[in-house]
Amino acid sequence: MKSEKSQPYFLQTSQWSQFWQESAEKNHQVYFISHKSKDIELSAFVYKYPWHFGKSFLYVPKGPILKIINDLEKPQILCEYKNFLSKITDFAAQNKCIFIKLDFEYIFTNLLDIKDTSNILELHKKATKFEVLLSTKSLQYLSTMIIGCTNLQKNDDLAEFLESNKSFWNQTNENIRRYTRKSLKQSWKINISKTTENFEDFWHVYQYTSKRQAFATHTKSYFETMFTKDFVRIIILKDEQGVPHCCWFGIILNETLYYLYGGNDDYSFSHQGQYLAHLVALQIAAKEEVKSYDLGGYDSQKGFGKFKEGYRGDIVNFLGPIDILLGSNTYRLINFIVDNGKKLKNL
């Protein structure tokens, strides 16, 4: 295998890990663990979370980051990965963590020709002395859609940006094209400035959306801290009276624009707000010369997944998660107590 370096997902960047540590409570920590030989370097930011009953666990999201220095065969890479994994398990044991949760960077698994989660499970059963299980609980989405942006033509006028990139839009489905054009006729007021007012408008629409769709959110202070970072971008859509109805909140890291959080109300849906927000996001991607636009979590069984499919980007799957159990009995006992406690509440 030729010399190459995988591009870290945003969770595996120093900028994101620093923000996460800054915004987290004291019992949350982030560490950088690496293993390097003359031929290869493997590394990852490892996040420590509190668990139930005063216990803790480690989470390695979208890792490891791989840098091949000299040509290596697959067995050699696997051998070095086992050494890297040993460092993580030793660190977890020293910190008295009950388990380690891992999901995997897709370039790493593709390079090793690992096709599915059962393959990654078998690899880790051989690579460590600890028990390894498929996890039923994910901390991050495991699928996303990525749109290539390198051929997008810049244009400050939104309608002209749409028309000057016909080759891009011709690859999307008919609904995306139709409703994106229609969104431009809806008298929306668009604002992408990082102002306190726009943050409050984002928070208002996002909270409304979370209540309507019954999903949990981070705290307001978490978003306020993130909003101060230079990698954050925001899009707010308002009606002619200045009332916000649609919000888009994302980041730019490693030449990728990521869509992380957003929301719409009924007015936005009836006036194609979500289509306009992604048009503006693609305009930002072109202006800032990023290589790709990551649409965030994807699920083919849900409405937002069907919507994203219309853009016909590449669907990327992150294998996992798996749990490596350093304390098998404690892991099972706590999960039993928590799961049955939830069942009792629902009676």
Side-chain angles (χ1 to χ4, degrees), residues 128-314:
T128 180
K129 63 182 179 181
F130 298 103
E131 184 178 2
V132 185
L133 300 175
L134 290 178
S135 177
T136 58
K137 300 172 183 177
S138 301
L139 295 186
Q140 295 285 339
Y141 54 77
L142 296 173
S143 295
T144 187
M145 177 172 285
I146 298 177
I147 300 171
C149 297
T150 54
N151 294 322
L152 287 176
Q153 302 300 308
K154 302 178 188 178
N155 201 306
D156 290 335
D157 181 273
L158 204 53
E160 292 179 8
F161 171 74
L162 179 64
E163 292 305 313
S164 65
N165 287 287
K166 285 185 177 179
S167 59
F168 170 85
W169 294 102
N170 286 340
Q171 296 175 16
T172 65
N173 73 15
E174 184 179 348
N175 280 344
I176 294 294
R177 295 193 296 272
R178 179 195 306 135
Y179 291 121
T180 299
R181 289 191 176 92
K182 192 173 181 180
S183 73
L184 289 170
K185 302 176 181 179
Q186 300 299 324
S187 301
W188 283 110
K189 294 182 177 181
I190 305 167
N191 200 315
I192 61 173
S193 299
K194 288 179 66 177
T195 63
T196 301
E197 179 183 353
N198 278 343
F199 175 81
E200 293 298 333
D201 287 341
F202 155 74
W203 185 248
H204 170 75
V205 177
Y206 186 57
Q207 284 296 290
Y208 170 83
T209 304
S210 71
K211 291 175 183 176
R212 188 186 75 244
Q213 297 183 356
F215 64 81
T217 72
H218 292 288
T219 64
K220 188 176 183 181
S221 63
Y222 176 91
F223 286 101
E224 286 173 330
T225 301
M226 195 193 311
F227 193 64
T228 65
K229 305 306 177 185
D230 60 6
F231 53 74
V232 167
R233 304 292 182 270
I234 192 169
I235 301 167
I236 301 295
L237 303 184
K238 300 181 182 181
D239 63 23
E240 291 181 287
Q241 286 71 46
V243 178
H245 298 283
C246 176
C247 65
W248 181 105
F249 194 108
I251 61 175
I252 292 181
L253 286 171
N254 280 352
E255 300 181 289
T256 299
L257 175 65
Y258 296 89
Y259 171 45
L260 298 185
Y261 311 102
N264 296 271
D265 60 15
D266 291 339
Y267 181 93
S268 177
F269 284 124
S270 64
H271 291 75
Q272 297 80 48
Q274 69 274 37
Y275 296 90
L276 185 59
H278 287 296
L279 175 61
V280 176
L282 285 162
Q283 186 187 42
I284 292 172
K287 182 178 181 180
E288 303 207 33
E289 299 181 346
V290 302
K291 291 182 177 179
S292 57
Y293 177 32
D294 188 316
L295 289 172
Y298 166 77
D299 186 335
S300 63
Q301 302 303 310
K302 295 184 178 179
F304 67 83
K306 299 294 184 184
F307 168 74
K308 292 175 183 180
E309 285 174 2
Y311 288 90
R312 293 178 176 165
D314 295 323

Side-chain angles (χ1 to χ4, degrees), residues 14-61:
S14 59
Q15 299 97 315
W16 182 265
S17 64
Q18 288 167 10
F19 148 70
W20 188 88
Q21 184 67 84
E22 183 180 342
S23 65
E25 298 178 2
K26 290 182 179 180
N27 51 0
H28 294 66
Q29 299 290 331
V30 61
Y31 308 93
F32 184 74
I33 297 177
S34 66
H35 166 72
K36 185 175 182 180
S37 69
K38 65 182 180 66
D39 300 313
I40 190 172
E41 181 177 358
L42 299 109
S43 62
F45 286 99
V46 179
Y47 297 78
K48 184 180 179 182
Y49 284 83
W51 205 36
H52 306 285
F53 307 109
K55 305 300 182 181
S56 63
F57 69 96
L58 296 183
Y59 176 43
V60 187

